[in-house]
Each structure stands twice: as C-alpha cells, then as structure tokens.
Amino acid sequence: MVSRTERGRRGGAALAALLLAALTGTAQARSIPQPGLPPSVGATPAGATGYRPAVNYQLQCAGCHLGDGRGAHASLVPKMKDFVGRFLDVDGGREFLVRVPGVAQSGLSDAELAELLNWLLTGDIAGASRPQAFVPYTTEEVARQRHEPLIDVFRTRAGLIAAMRARGIAIDDGSTP
Ligand code: HEC
C-alpha cells in the first residue's frame, strides 16, 4: 500500500524529471551553432574517424557523389569523375575544393580531409582530370580554408566554371550545359 505522501513524493519526482528533460532539450537545441544561418556556415566538424580516405569517401561523400564520383544531375550533385581536377587549373579553385560545404563540414579532421582530397585528386575519381603537377593539400591549408565560409556556393562555382571556359577547358561536370 503506497501512502498518500509517498504518492505525492513520487509525483513530484516525476514532474522534476519531466522538467529536467524539457530543460535539457532546450539546452541541446540552443547548442546548435547559429540556427538562423544557412548550413554552409557555422557547423563544427565531428573529429577524426581513423579510417583510410577510401572508406571516409564512402561514408561521408558517396551518399551524394556516388561511389565512383559520377554525381547525380537530378539532385544537383556535380560529376567529379574525370572532372574535379580541372578546378586546380583556375584561380580560387584549389580553395573552393576545401570550402565547398560537403567538404568543409564533413565529420572529418583537418588531416583526414587533406588526405581525402589528395586521394580524390590523384586517384580514379579525378581520373582523366588528374593534375599534372599536384601539390598535395596539407593539414594546415585545410584547417585555414575550411573555416572561411563560402557564402554563395553557386555563384563562386559558376565563376570558376566561367574561368575554365575562358581557358578552353571542356566543362564535363554532368550539369553545366
Ligand atoms: C549532401 C550531399 C553531399 C555530400 C554528403 C557531399 N557533397 Fe560534395 N557536393 C555536393 C553538391 C550539391 C555540390 C555542388 C556545390 C554545392 O552546391 O555545394 C558538391 C560539390 C563538391 C565539390 C566541388 C566540385 C564541383 O564540381 O562543384 C567537391 C570537391 C566535393 N563536393 C567533394 C565532396 C567530398 C570530398 C565529400 C565528402 C567529404 C562531399 N563532397 C560530400 C553534395 C554533397
């Protein structure tokens, strides 16, 4: 038999637990960095995964870019296969590859991101677009660039594509006519 005071005490404890849950929920919601900003600004990388670049690519990138980097035109994901290396031929392209949201905000450490970009640009995904004289990304370079927010991704990208065109580079990104 539970006494009336005991029941009251239990009720009080349940209410306190509910209140705590509600408060904790609010605290978590508030810890999202600057919720009013677009997703390309203010996110914090989760840290090192400890995987090799090929695995990190499959886990963090292939969901949008597909396993071989062919992208998905219908979802506005550009084709990287045989094209991504061309960004290194124009001013600002090297920085763009780090600052583009999918890269800058991936859950990878700066060192893993540098390793992933180097793997991407020297392997099958860059394929025919592999740069001739590639200077590998360093951890420091990635650390610096990924925190420079890219506010207008589409305009920046369009500027780089225009610069490629001006240099006579064929635009084979699967989405630009
Ligand atoms: C949620 C989908 C998504 C994920 C995940 C994603 N990307 Fe992207 N990526 C895009 C889209 C869309 C673009 C085109 C630019 C933009 O709108 O951000 C892009 C652009 C790029 C570009 C520039 C190439 C170009 O033609 O614009 C590179 C390089 C790139 N992504 C690499 C990566 C890597 C490496 C990862 C994993 C660490 C990754 N992306 C994760 C969707 C994604």
Side-chain angles (χ1 to χ4, degrees):
M1 198 45 194
V2 181
S3 73
R4 187 174 290 212
T5 29
E6 176 63 13
R7 221 177 298 146
R9 212 175 293 136
R10 282 189 196 172
L15 195 69
L18 253 174
L19 248 168
L20 190 70
L23 281 174
T24 321
T26 316
Q28 272 166 1
R30 283 206 185 122
S31 70
I32 295 170
Q34 300 176 281
L37 292 175
S40 55
V41 187
T44 317
T49 63
Y51 297 131
R52 285 175 296 116
V55 177
N56 279 332
Y57 178 81
Q58 291 304 326
L59 294 175
Q60 305 256 342
C61 321
C64 293
H65 286 278
L66 303 190
D68 60 358
R70 106 184 83 109
H73 175 52
S75 316
L76 300 177
V77 180
K79 169 174 165 286
M80 292 201 287
K81 175 83 184 130
D82 297 327
F83 182 68
V84 68
R86 296 281 78 90
F87 282 95
L88 298 178
D89 294 336
V90 290
D91 281 350
R94 186 176 172 100
E95 294 81 0
F96 174 73
L97 296 186
V98 182
R99 294 172 65 202
V100 73
V103 175
Q105 298 180 29
S106 67
L108 299 173
S109 69
D110 298 334
E112 285 177 334
L113 210 44
E115 207 186 359
L116 176 54
L117 284 169
N118 295 338
W119 170 85
L120 199 73
L121 289 158
T122 54
D124 285 347
I125 293 187
S129 74
R130 266 195 296 260
Q132 300 276 308
F134 177 56
V135 180
Y137 285 94
T138 63
T139 304
E140 293 69 33
E141 179 180 10
V142 166
R144 204 169 49 246
Q145 293 298 336
R146 85 188 290 188
H147 297 301
E148 290 285 327
L150 193 55
I151 304 296
D152 194 337
V153 181
F154 288 109
R155 192 175 300 178
T156 306
R157 188 176 191 283
L160 295 169
I161 296 289
M164 286 182 208
R165 263 196 226 289
R167 296 197 49 186
I169 296 171
I171 309 304
D172 180 25
D173 68 352
S175 43
T176 308

